[in-house]
Amino acid sequence: MAFPGLQHVAITVTDLERSTRWYTALFGAEPVLDEDEQDGRFHHTVFVLEGGQLFGLHTHQGRESGDAFDERRTGLDHVGFAVGSVAELEQWQARLDELGVEHGGVKRAGYGVGLSFRDPDNIALELFTGPE
């Protein structure tokens, strides 16, 4: 039996309103869900991405830290989004420039080509395609 692919990713953010605005601009789409869960102990906002995958933003009551994300700590390193070609990566680079999102430019490696950037909580994101 093959292991299934990812269906959704949910990240915890420090300021849900700020992150919702930022991801709405990045995705070019409004969230499909924005609600409290578990008696108000956490709130989530969910976007539907291409292919039906979901991307969620969470805030939790009583969270212990508002520290910025750091991929050097145990846990998530980054979230990668698939694109179909280097040309598409270059289009995304122009889109990030339009949005004022700092990025590392299109970088080539033996295993593929990527474009890395960060969200308002410093969470590392990447647009990626296979090798040229």
Side-chain angles (χ1 to χ4, degrees):
M1 174 181 346
F3 195 82
L6 292 175
Q7 193 276 336
H8 70 274
V9 172
I11 60 173
T12 299
V13 298
T14 57
D15 183 332
L16 185 63
E17 187 176 313
R18 174 188 68 182
S19 292
T20 299
R21 283 192 312 271
W22 193 88
Y23 280 98
T24 296
L26 178 68
F27 296 153
E30 294 292 325
V32 296
L33 182 67
D34 186 23
E35 66 183 12
D36 286 328
E37 284 287 326
Q38 297 179 356
D39 302 324
R41 288 183 284 174
F42 83 91
H43 188 95
H44 63 203
T45 299
V46 179
F47 295 87
V48 176
L49 305 179
E50 187 174 325
Q53 294 155 334
L54 304 177
F55 189 88
L57 308 175
H58 287 196
T59 57
H60 298 269
Q61 294 295 327
R63 69 176 179 264
E64 293 183 21
S65 174
D67 292 344
F69 174 81
D70 184 342
E71 64 274 12
R72 295 168 294 188
R73 289 192 294 248
T74 300
L76 179 71
D77 186 87
H78 69 280
V79 177
F81 298 93
V83 298
S85 66
V86 174
E88 191 175 343
L89 275 177
E90 291 168 348
Q91 292 172 343
W92 274 106
Q93 180 173 317
R95 172 91 170 118
L96 294 176
D97 289 341
E98 288 171 13
L99 293 171
V101 175
E102 291 184 30
H103 56 79
V106 173
K107 304 283 187 204
R108 288 163 171 77
Y111 52 87
V113 185
L115 174 61
S116 297
F117 56 104
R118 293 180 181 271
D119 83 349
D121 282 302
N122 205 42
I123 296 172
L125 305 171
E126 182 179 39
L127 297 160
F128 191 84
T129 190
E132 295 180 276

